[in-house]
């Protein structure tokens, strides 16, 4: 089923502007644009709050195989796990599913002359990346969540590695 149909957009929340104040961590607290600018580095702010994109093969996690949970860098919501991470060789971390469908939200993105699905943190409305479908990667969902490294933070499992991979140096 298409990502523009019910497979993903059945869970779509109403569109909101990235510049708007948004709830953080599901606690109902709101942050202003000035507070986000103060808390985030300029690079984090550009991607998380202005829907920017980091350059491919430059982010911290594009080739990481460490076992753990990936949290939203802005609010700490758990978004993805290493169990769903796979090597797509696109230059960004790729996952075939979020940790829980309610932890992310989707926006139909027609910017830059493309037709894509933007992925945002459901708790703080931060931009994470995009999700693509039908690219032939052979993942269980046939989807690739292409996520900016700067949008997430890995919390590693103690002394564990994803099965089937060698420990990183």
């Amino acid at each position: 089923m298409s990502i523009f149909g019910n497979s993903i957009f059945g869970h779509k929340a109403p569109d909101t502007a990235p510049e708007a104040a948004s709830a953080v961590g599901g606690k109902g607290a709101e942050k202003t644009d000035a507070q986000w600018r103060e808390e985030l580095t300029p690079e984090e702010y550009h991607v998380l709050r202005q829907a920017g994109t980091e350059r491919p093969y430059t982010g911290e996690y594009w080739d990481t195989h460490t076992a753990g949970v990936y949290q939203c860098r802005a609010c700490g919501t758990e978004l993805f796990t290493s169990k769903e991470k796979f090597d797509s060789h696109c230059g960004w971390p790729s996952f075939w599913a979020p940790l829980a469908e309610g932890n992310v939200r989707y926006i139909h993105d027609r910017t830059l002359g493309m037709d894509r699905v933007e992925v945002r943190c459901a708790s703080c409305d931060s931009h994470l990346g995009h999700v693509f479908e039908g690219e032939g990667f052979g993942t269980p969902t046939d989807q690739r969540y292409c996520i900016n490294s700067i949008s997430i933070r890995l919390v590693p499992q103690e002394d564990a590695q994803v099965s089937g991979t060698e420990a990183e140096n």
Side-chain angles (χ1 to χ4, degrees):
M1 185 178 281
S2 170
I3 56 180
F4 299 114
N6 290 331
S7 67
I8 288 179
F9 276 95
H11 305 289
K12 183 180 175 207
D15 290 15
T16 58
E19 300 79 30
S22 54
V24 179
K27 298 177 184 175
E30 292 189 0
K31 292 189 182 184
T32 65
D33 186 63
Q35 288 171 312
W36 283 120
R37 285 182 186 275
E38 195 165 305
E39 286 185 22
L40 302 171
T41 68
E43 295 83 11
E44 290 169 343
Y45 181 86
H46 174 66
V47 174
L48 290 161
R49 306 311 304 165
Q50 296 178 318
T53 301
E54 66 192 0
R55 290 190 347 251
Y57 304 102
T58 62
E60 182 177 3
Y61 303 121
W62 74 271
D63 65 347
T64 297
H65 297 96
T66 304
V69 175
Y70 292 86
Q71 298 177 337
C72 174
R73 194 172 295 246
C75 73
T77 296
E78 293 183 344
L79 300 169
F80 301 95
T81 74
S82 57
K83 293 176 186 169
E84 291 79 32
K85 190 172 188 290
F86 70 101
D87 291 327
S88 68
H89 308 287
C90 69
W92 291 277
S94 296
F95 303 87
W96 51 264
L99 183 141
E101 198 58 47
N103 292 6
V104 297
R105 70 182 203 92
Y106 306 95
I107 298 174
H108 199 156
D109 178 5
R110 291 188 177 108
T111 60
L112 305 174
M114 295 183 247
D115 202 9
R116 308 180 289 180
V117 177
E118 180 183 357
V119 181
R120 290 189 178 214
C121 175
S123 295
C124 70
D125 197 39
S126 288
H127 171 77
L128 304 171
H130 291 86
V131 60
F132 303 95
E133 190 170 71
E135 296 178 316
F137 282 107
T139 60
T141 61
D142 196 26
Q143 295 174 338
R144 175 175 59 96
Y145 286 75
C146 184
I147 305 299
N148 291 285
S149 287
I150 202 163
S151 295
I152 54 180
R153 178 176 293 112
L154 174 61
V155 178
Q157 278 182 323
E158 293 181 8
D159 302 320
Q161 293 292 315
V162 177
S163 61
T165 62
E166 295 181 20
E168 296 182 71
N169 295 333

